[in-house]
Amino acid sequence: MSGWEADPAVVALGGGHGLYATLTAVRRLTRRITAVVTVADDGGSSGRLRAELGMLPPGDLRMALAALAEDADGIWTTTVQHRFGGSGALAGHSLGNLLLAGLTDILGDPVAALDEVGRLLRITGRVLPMSPIPLDIEAEVSGLEADPRVGRCVRGQVAVATTPGKVRRVRLIPSDPPAGPAAVSAIEHADVVVLGPGSWFTSVIPHVLVPGLRDALVRTRARKVLVLNLAAEPGETAGFSAERHLHVLSQHAPGFAVDDVLVDSASVPEGRQREHVSRAAEQLRARVTFCDVAEPGTDRHHPGKLAAALDQLIRSPRSQLAGLRVERQHSAADVHSVADERSGSVGKERVSWR
C-alpha cells in the first residue's frame, strides 16, 4: 500500500489517565485525532452528575479535551481542570465537568457540548463518547468468599476497579448498548487506531464490548495498535502479567485482531517471558514490539518516548511485519530526537503509515 501525506487520521480509544497519555503522545504526530472515550464512570464528580442529571459521566471526556488543548498550561485549560475544595455542594466537582453538564443541558446533545468546549480550548482533533448513553460495568469476581471457587458479581466502575478480589470477566449494562455514530465513522475512516493503555477491564475492554464499535474495528482498514500497560494495577488487574492482559482481551472479544502490540521493554524481561507475550499476541494475530516507553521511576508512559515508538512502528509497512517478532531498544536521546523532529515537521513529509 502506498504512503500518503503526513498528518494521518488517528483514533485513540480508552479513558482516564491512560487515554490522556496516548493523546499527549499522538498529538506530536498528527493534528487529525479523534478520542473515543469510555462512559461508565460512576465515582466522584462524574458519578454525582450522572446520578443527578442522567448525563454521560464527564470526567474522562474532560481529561481528553485537556490532553488535546492547544495550551496545556493556559488559563482556560487550567480552569477546565480546576476542582473545587471545601465541604459545600461544589466540593469535589471539576469546573470542566460542570461546564459540560451545563452545555449538554442547553444544547441537548453531549457531542455538541464537547465540540463547544473543544473550540474554547482550541483542541487538536475531536473528543467523542463511545456511546450516547451512560453505561455500567459488571464483573465476575472470585476471591471474595471463603471458597475461592465461588464468584460474586460486582457492579460499577469504581467497585470493579478497586475490588480486592480477582476479576474474571466484565460485561456492560445494557448488554447491547448503542455506539456513538460519530465514533463509528471516525474508526471506519481512520488510518491508525490505538487502543490502550489504561485500566484494562474498565477503560480498554469496554470498547470491544459495544457491538457497533467492535464491528467498526473489524471493518476498518486502519492499522490497529494495542499499547500495553507498564504494570498491573492494584484492584482489577493485581498480579496480571503482560501475557495475561492479552489473554483476557482475547477472551472478551473472540476473533478480534490487531496488527501490533507495543510493550515497554523494561516491564517484560528478555527470554521466556517475552516468548510468552509473543505467543499470547498470536491470539490477536499481532506481532509484538518491545520498546522503552516509560517515564523513569514511574508506571506512566513518557509522551515523547511513546510518540517516537508509535511513529517508528506505524511507518513500518504491514507486509514487512507478518510473522515477525521485532524487539527494539531506543535510547532516551533517540526517542526525544524522533519525537521533536516529528512534532516540528507534521505536514511537511511523506510517510507510509500502513
Side-chain angles (χ1 to χ4, degrees):
M1 183 173 296
S2 62
W4 50 78
E5 293 292 341
D7 221 21
V10 178
V11 175
L13 299 90
H17 294 285
L19 180 59
Y20 188 97
T22 300
L23 295 174
T24 306
V26 169
R27 65 175 298 167
R28 298 176 180 229
L29 307 178
T30 181
R31 295 190 59 82
R32 298 170 61 201
I33 305 169
T34 303
V36 178
V37 187
T38 52
V39 288
D41 193 3
D42 61 350
S45 171
S46 290
R48 289 161 61 189
L49 291 171
R50 170 180 174 167
E52 293 173 16
L53 303 177
M55 65 177 291
L56 294 177
D60 287 351
L61 295 161
R62 183 202 78 245
M63 286 185 64
L65 288 165
L68 295 176
E70 181 179 70
D71 186 355
D73 299 317
I75 185 60
W76 278 115
T77 308
T78 302
T79 300
V80 164
Q81 291 284 67
H82 176 72
R83 195 173 296 275
F84 293 100
S87 57
L90 290 178
H93 275 304
S94 162
L95 192 147
N97 289 358
L98 298 175
L99 180 60
L100 285 170
L103 282 169
T104 300
D105 198 34
I106 292 169
L107 300 174
D109 180 0
V111 173
L114 288 163
D115 288 341
E116 285 298 326
V117 177
R119 279 189 280 272
L120 175 68
L121 298 178
R122 291 182 292 184
I123 68 170
T124 299
R126 197 178 188 199
V127 174
L128 299 169
M130 72 176 189
S131 175
I133 63 173
L135 306 177
D136 280 312
I137 294 176
E138 185 175 76
E140 298 174 9
V141 180
S142 62
L144 298 178
E145 307 291 346
D147 186 344
R149 296 170 298 178
V150 176
R152 183 195 298 179
C153 284
V154 174
R155 182 167 177 171
Q157 179 171 311
V158 173
V160 173
T162 59
T163 179
K166 186 172 184 179
V167 178
R168 299 291 187 182
R169 194 171 188 87
V170 292
R171 63 181 67 89
L172 294 179
I173 300 174
S175 60
D176 188 17
V184 170
S185 178
I187 292 170
E188 290 177 338
H189 294 91
D191 298 318
V192 181
V193 173
V194 182
L195 179 61
S199 299
W200 213 243
F201 284 110
T202 54
S203 290
V204 176
I205 288 177
H207 287 278
V208 297
L209 300 182
V210 176
L213 287 186
R214 179 174 170 176
D215 291 346
L217 287 168
V218 171
R219 289 193 303 268
T220 184
R221 298 180 64 192
R223 180 79 166 267
K224 287 174 282 189
V225 181
L226 177 67
V227 181
L228 280 194
N229 293 345
L230 299 178
E233 292 187 300
E236 62 179 86
T237 56
F240 273 37
S241 63
E243 175 189 6
R244 180 64 179 154
H245 281 77
L246 296 177
H247 282 311
V248 297
L249 176 60
S250 296
Q251 290 165 1
H252 281 80
F256 177 67
V258 298
D259 296 283
D260 307 279
V261 177
L262 181 60
V263 185
D264 178 61
S265 52
S267 66
V268 181
E270 294 186 28
R272 183 170 297 178
Q273 289 191 42
R274 292 196 180 185
E275 293 175 3
H276 291 169
V277 171
S278 296
R279 282 200 295 269
E282 291 175 3
Q283 296 179 356
L284 299 167
R285 298 195 291 280
R287 62 82 109 156
V288 181
T289 294
F290 296 96
C291 187
D292 174 20
V293 291
E295 186 85 48
T298 74
D299 287 334
R300 296 191 300 271
H301 286 78
H302 185 284
K305 292 180 179 181
L306 182 57
L310 288 171
D311 180 55
Q312 293 191 22
L313 177 66
I314 296 167
R315 289 172 65 184
S316 303
R318 275 174 168 160
S319 61
Q320 295 180 11
L321 303 180
L324 298 179
R325 285 182 291 167
V326 179
E327 299 187 7
R328 296 179 182 148
Q329 291 286 352
H330 303 298
S331 68
D334 291 339
V335 167
H336 287 298
S337 65
V338 171
D340 292 343
E341 179 183 354
R342 286 288 297 142
S343 64
S345 60
V346 168
K348 298 179 182 178
E349 64 175 320
R350 292 188 63 87
V351 295
S352 177
W353 283 77
R354 291 188 179 182

